[in-house]
Amino acid sequence: MGRITARRPVVKITLGVGETRRPDTLAVEEPLEIRIAGTPLVVTMRTPGHDVELAAGFLVSEGVISAGEHFRSAIHCGGPGTGGPLAGTTENTYNVLDVSLAPGVALPSADLARNFYTTSSCGLCGKASIEAVETVSAYDVAADGTVVDAEALVGFPDLLRAQQAVFDKTGGLHAAALFDAETGELLVLREDVGRHNAVDKVVGWAVLNDRLPLRSTVLQVSGRASFELVQKAVMAGIPMLAAVSAPSSLAVELAEASGLTLVGFLRGRSMNVYSRADRIRVPAHVTV
């Protein structure tokens, strides 16, 4: 589809030097409408690419599916009204995705539908009710016996940053990566203009590869840790979430209640552990 980045003219002003005109590379942001069996469910602002993963991960986060076998297929729809600046033409803008669930999987409740599209900064805006946020996971994260070496954990942000190809061009995307807790292997990384979308794409990768629940993994994110990111990790069976920035108070509360290890301010050689610090193996010579 080739719409991950776009070129636009910009005037750069440098005080004491003057101004120059040049093209600038921007991260593309477009709406994606997700439908289930032809019925609209949600519209989210996202960076195009890995849309099927985004839809699959979103459905896990909302409790609609909990295993790869629940997700049957998805297809982009075209034609009039499919979104974008040329809405109303017959061009396929790839901004509508229709998902088919496996036989026997219940269709989402009408109460789950969002009243208006989410923005790239807040995946919870427009919930029909606050009760819909309190989704119950199919997996017991608290029972996961994963232990991660602190020496390996402090290296994850640099490994994530090194793989952010689109961020290097635009400076405008969030990233989420999944690491194997035992080996430190980077399993998958996704970028998106919305931090929640980046996580949904990672979880969706797991759905399409039939890897749920994601036991013995660490979810590393490039920004802060919000309530919704903790919820998405819990729903996918991920036992540890690490962020380079701060968590919110509600994110910490949910992590504590769910038994998820929540790490914030993971920078350089230090970190703050807000819940389940027993999962982090600290070298014996280090005083805690």
Side-chain angles (χ1 to χ4, degrees), residues 3-7 24-30 46-48 166-167 169-174 192-193:
R3 297 196 320 278
I4 297 177
T5 62
R7 300 279 282 177
D24 192 26
T25 301
L26 306 177
V28 169
E29 182 177 32
E30 292 183 354
R46 97 304 189 193
T47 299
V166 183
F167 180 87
K169 298 177 181 179
T170 67
L173 291 183
H174 294 282
D192 198 277
V193 71

Side-chain angles (χ1 to χ4, degrees), residues 33-274:
E33 178 182 306
I34 300 174
R35 299 175 181 175
I36 307 295
T39 300
L41 177 65
V42 65
V43 177
T44 185
M45 302 303 294
R46 97 304 189 193
T47 299
H50 304 289
D51 287 344
V52 178
E53 291 179 350
L54 172 57
F58 174 82
L59 293 178
V60 171
S61 299
E62 298 297 336
V64 177
I65 63 174
S66 59
E69 63 186 19
H70 297 160
F71 191 92
R72 184 176 184 180
S73 63
I75 185 171
H76 282 98
C77 307
T82 57
L86 299 178
T89 73
T90 58
E91 179 184 1
N92 189 341
T93 59
Y94 297 97
N95 284 337
V96 176
L97 188 72
D98 197 3
V99 174
S100 295
L101 302 179
V105 178
L107 295 177
S109 166
D111 292 337
L112 183 61
R114 302 190 178 191
N115 295 326
F116 48 86
Y117 63 78
T118 63
T119 70
S120 59
S121 62
C122 176
L124 293 177
C125 302
K127 282 285 190 179
S129 65
I130 190 63
E131 289 79 12
V133 177
E134 301 171 352
T135 315
V136 179
S137 176
Y139 308 115
D140 184 5
V141 170
D144 192 306
T146 293
V147 176
V148 181
D149 284 328
E151 287 285 353
L153 189 59
V154 295
F156 288 172
D158 287 341
L159 292 174
L160 177 144
R161 179 65 187 86
Q163 297 297 319
Q164 286 186 258
V166 183
F167 180 87
D168 287 338
K169 298 177 181 179
T170 67
L173 291 183
H174 294 282
L178 196 67
F179 289 89
D180 185 295
E182 296 182 5
T183 67
E185 177 188 1
L186 173 59
L187 301 175
V188 62
L189 181 146
R190 295 291 182 259
E191 294 180 280
D192 198 277
V193 71
R195 61 173 58 87
H196 58 284
N197 288 339
V199 173
D200 276 342
K201 288 178 178 181
V202 165
V203 174
W205 169 87
V207 172
L208 301 184
N209 287 276
D210 201 20
R211 299 187 64 147
L212 292 183
L214 285 166
R215 298 187 180 95
S216 298
T217 61
V218 178
L219 178 62
Q220 176 70 53
V221 296
S222 61
R224 63 185 177 84
S226 63
F227 170 87
E228 187 182 25
L229 297 196
V230 173
Q231 181 197 30
K232 289 178 183 296
V234 171
M235 294 298 292
I238 300 172
M240 184 177 298
L241 170 62
V244 299
S245 193
S248 68
S249 62
L250 198 57
V252 174
E253 290 178 25
L254 180 59
E256 290 176 338
S258 304
L260 174 137
T261 299
L262 179 59
V263 178
F265 294 105
L266 181 57
R267 304 170 183 175
R269 303 282 296 171
S270 68
M271 67 190 81
N272 290 349
V273 186
Y274 295 87

